[in-house]
Amino acid sequence: MNKPVETRAATLNGAQAVVEMLRQHGVEVVLGLCGDTSLPLYDALRGSPLRHILTRDERHAAYMADGYARVTGKVGVCEGPSGGGATYILPGLAEANESSIPVLAINTDISVSSRGRFTLTELDQRTLMQPVTKWNAVLDRAADIPRVFRQAFEEMTTGRPGAAHIALPFDVQNQPLDAGDVWADPTLGAYPSRRVEPDPEMVALAAKLLRSAVNPLFICGGGVVISRAEAELCELAQKLSAPIATTISGKGSTDERCAHSLGVVGSNGGTPETRAVVDAADVIVFVGCRAGSVTTERWRHPAPDQARIIHIDVDPSVPGRNYKVDVPLIGDARLALTALNDALGDFAPRGDLTAMDVRKRLKFQNFMALAQSNDAPIKPERVVHEISQRVDADAILVADPGTPCPYFSAYYTVRGTGRRYFSNRAHGALGYALSAAIGAHIGRPSVKTVAVMGDGSFGMCVGELETMTRLKLPLTAIVISNAVYGWIKAGQKSGYGQRYFSVDFGATDHAAVAAAYGIRSWRVTQPADLPGILKQAFSAGEPTLVDIVCQPLHEAKAPVSEWVA
Ligand SMILES: Cc1ncc(C[n+]2csc(CCOP(=O)(O)OP(=O)(O)O)c2C)c(N)n1
């Protein structure tokens, strides 16, 4: 009599096992959109302690998971159905993976037993997701669920973090499996989950090189924030009296009010003043930074043989890819910087911050001259300045490509360390910021979160205004409204003799659109109105949107080196 009852108690179906594997890895939130092939999964989620957030597009579910992961240090999880649900979720995985952010996407799929029969929504998810993830799998039977999920979490949070994808067929969700097999290591739910130290011999060589430096410089990528290595970086920069430059993703590596902080360098958000500091360095330490095209202005700043290079990265394939490296330090950024601090001991620096300080002041003087302008359409500099004045230091600001990214990267001063500002710098797809901000707010609800987008981006994320309203999220969306794909028009201006083609679109009253979604909103055309309206929007405690009619990007003085030249 008792035996069948015991068996039932020790058995889960595949969908329940998936939910349990997520829970045991510390997952609390799953973002996604329903579909026919997901019915068993939804039934399992319904009775589970996981919070499910319904989104209006799988692309945005993935961006939300990405924003959540960036601010929590935990894996972000999204889900969608087969076919279109998989093709729509893909862009968010591509961004997260290249940005070293652990996002797990689960797409349900047609049954294993229906494969190859012209079944509606059949798609080769394995091949589709392989190039845009660090690791992916297609399940064929429920018994593999525990092992596959354990491997996904391990892959996402060890080494260079990245995205993972699992295809979960309909019939697999309904198959039974032994509950005793469903176990997880919860430490794999946060990143970096396994820190590795660099080779001590290489640390000694790097310390020797740093002792000889006259103008050392740190260029920090997102790896410093991911590793939470800000304190160790600050200690080493002080020891060497060295400036700290960052990439856009590296913002938050240091408090940008600190004497060592140079700000963002590179072609997007860098200025002639920040470039001059890069050009003057004789020893450069790249930390958690891939020295890619934007950071280095296509490998021209620093010039190829200008400086001796120490390159700290957890991914052994990164150092030496773009610059001849004198000392590669392969390992976790925090442990590598700790080792360098120890190796340098009490070191009397030769470096001097005076030259950097002069250049930094000049950069902000140039900015402030425009930031005080009362011109209409409103200058982007004025927008950055007014927002900066009105958000708390602990606020999270998410910037889309177009006007927001270069302007906020260059001139928005991050007060404090850690992830307080980010943009989707791997692919720069329009329409990321609103959803990433929603995810960030879900992950860190105690602080103000602001999404800044162009009107091109608005068109690619507008549906998620409903998510923002439904969840009553006290976010503020800012739209830089200029009725043009301004970034591209600026490229046509600087590189194609102002032969403008197919870049202008009609003006939209974004405040009216937001109001139709039930969002409190304002349209601002005069600079003098900005302070009062921003204050109301930021303190409203409900979803708000401010549509700011701005100077088009191709007419502005954007901190984008190709256009400045
Ligand atoms: C999905 C996607 N398609 C195309 C692009 C190419 N692109 C980069 S910036 C840009 C224009 C951005 O326009 P908008 O959002 O209106 O901002 P603005 O540049 O006018 O400030 C475009 C089309 C992109 N980044 N992402």
Side-chain angles (χ1 to χ4, degrees), residues 143-155:
D144 293 336
I145 288 172
R147 178 183 55 76
V148 163
F149 275 77
R150 283 194 289 268
Q151 192 172 354
F153 276 86
E154 187 202 310
E155 295 280 354

Side-chain angles (χ1 to χ4, degrees), residues 114-271:
S114 303
R115 286 178 187 165
R117 305 181 66 189
F118 308 120
T119 306
L120 183 70
T121 76
E122 182 168 9
L123 180 72
D124 180 356
Q125 293 194 29
R126 189 193 310 274
T127 305
L128 181 73
M129 299 300 180
Q130 192 272 331
V132 296
T133 54
K134 188 176 174 196
W135 182 89
N136 71 316
V138 176
L139 283 156
D140 295 324
R141 52 182 196 143
D144 293 336
I145 288 172
R147 178 183 55 76
V148 163
F149 275 77
R150 283 194 289 268
Q151 192 172 354
F153 276 86
E154 187 202 310
E155 295 280 354
M156 285 187 287
T157 64
T158 60
R160 185 175 86 80
H165 182 267
I166 297 173
L168 177 64
F170 184 84
D171 49 4
V172 171
Q173 297 172 60
N174 291 320
Q175 286 166 7
L177 77 158
D178 190 342
D181 292 341
V182 180
W183 55 266
D185 174 351
T187 64
L188 292 173
Y191 64 101
S193 60
R194 309 284 186 258
R195 294 179 188 267
V196 290
E197 278 186 283
D199 181 343
E201 279 181 31
M202 291 292 177
V203 172
L205 285 177
K208 190 172 168 208
L209 186 49
L210 286 172
R211 280 196 195 93
S212 71
V214 178
N215 282 321
L217 169 72
F218 291 92
I219 302 182
C220 302
V224 174
V225 177
I226 287 172
S227 166
R228 299 307 323 253
E230 301 92 344
E232 292 73 12
L233 172 69
C234 179
E235 185 185 336
L236 189 58
Q238 282 175 353
K239 224 169 238 189
L240 296 164
S241 204
I244 300 172
T246 75
T247 68
I248 296 167
S249 299
K251 249 171 125 77
S253 300
T254 181
D255 184 326
E256 291 184 323
R257 295 167 303 181
C258 136
H260 292 265
S261 171
L262 172 63
V264 166
V265 294
S267 56
N268 188 336
T271 66

